[in-house]
Amino acid sequence: MANIIVFAILAVVILGSAIMCVTTKRIMRAATFLLFVLFGVAGLYFLLDYTYLGAAQISVYAGGITMIYIFAIQLVSKRTLQGLVERMKGSRVAFGALVTLVGLATVVVVFLKNQFINNFAKLPDAEVSIETIGNQLVGADKYGYVLPFEFISVFLLACIIGGIVISRKE
C-alpha cells in the first residue's frame, strides 16, 4: 500500500513538472521543472529497487544534462533571451492537440492490437536482477546497449563544444 502511495506522489510530481516545463515562458524555470521530472523518474527506479538505474538517472541526467542546459542558457546573452516571448497562436494549439490525439490513438490501437493488457496480467512475478540490467546496458551482443551509450557520450561532447562556441566572443 505504501508503494502505491509513493508511486502516486511521484506520478503527480512528474506529470505536474512536465506540464509546467513545457508551458512556462521562463527558460530557467523550464530547466528547473525538467530537473524535478528527472528526479521523479529516479524516484521510480528507487521504488522498483533498481538502485543502479536510479543513481545513474540522478548522476547522468539530473546532474549532467540539466547542468549542461543551465550552462548553455547562462552562456547565451541576456539580450538574445529577452526578445524570446512566444505567443500562443490558435493554429499551433489546434495542431498540437491534433498531433496529441493522433499519438494517443496510435498508442491505443497498438495496445489493443497486441493485447498488452491481457498479456500483462499473465506475466509471472519474475524480477529482473540488476546484474542482467547491467549486462544489457554495457553488453555488445544483439540486444546490448553499449553503442547507444557511446552515441550519448558523443552527443554530450557535442553539447559541451557547442556551449564553448556559443560563449566565445566574436
Side-chain angles (χ1 to χ4, degrees):
M1 184 65 175
N3 285 343
I4 294 174
I5 293 171
V6 172
F7 174 78
I9 292 170
L10 287 172
V12 168
V13 167
I14 291 171
L15 288 175
S17 297
I19 290 170
M20 291 302 295
C21 180
V22 298
T23 58
T24 186
K25 293 182 181 181
R26 303 216 179 242
I27 194 162
M28 287 302 290
R29 288 184 185 167
T32 305
F33 286 125
L34 176 66
L35 182 67
F36 290 146
V37 170
L38 296 174
F39 274 128
V41 172
L44 290 177
Y45 287 140
F46 287 125
L47 187 64
L48 293 170
D49 288 332
Y50 291 153
T51 54
Y52 172 75
L53 290 178
Q57 175 77 16
I58 289 174
S59 65
V60 174
Y61 292 106
I65 302 292
T66 307
M67 290 305 117
I68 287 175
Y69 286 159
I70 290 173
F71 286 146
I73 291 166
Q74 294 296 327
L75 289 174
V76 175
S77 69
K78 293 196 187 279
R79 277 183 261 129
T80 305
L81 290 177
Q82 285 175 352
L84 293 177
V85 177
E86 189 171 323
R87 304 282 184 231
M88 293 291 231
K89 294 182 181 177
S91 61
R92 283 188 177 180
V93 171
F95 180 71
L98 178 69
V99 169
T100 302
L101 290 175
V102 168
L104 178 65
T106 304
V107 169
V108 168
V109 166
V110 168
F111 264 71
L112 294 177
K113 181 180 176 185
N114 294 318
Q115 299 178 349
F116 280 133
I117 297 172
N118 294 338
N119 292 337
F120 183 73
K122 296 176 186 174
L123 288 177
D125 272 346
E127 290 189 20
V128 180
S129 68
I130 196 67
E131 182 180 351
T132 305
I133 293 172
N135 288 334
Q136 290 297 317
L137 287 177
V138 295
D141 55 344
K142 183 177 180 181
Y143 297 107
Y145 289 99
V146 73
L147 189 61
F149 267 29
E150 293 301 322
F151 283 139
I152 289 171
S153 66
V154 170
F155 173 71
L156 289 175
L157 179 64
C159 289
I160 292 169
I161 292 171
I164 292 169
V165 169
I166 289 173
S167 68
R168 281 188 8 195
K169 299 290 180 188
E170 290 297 324

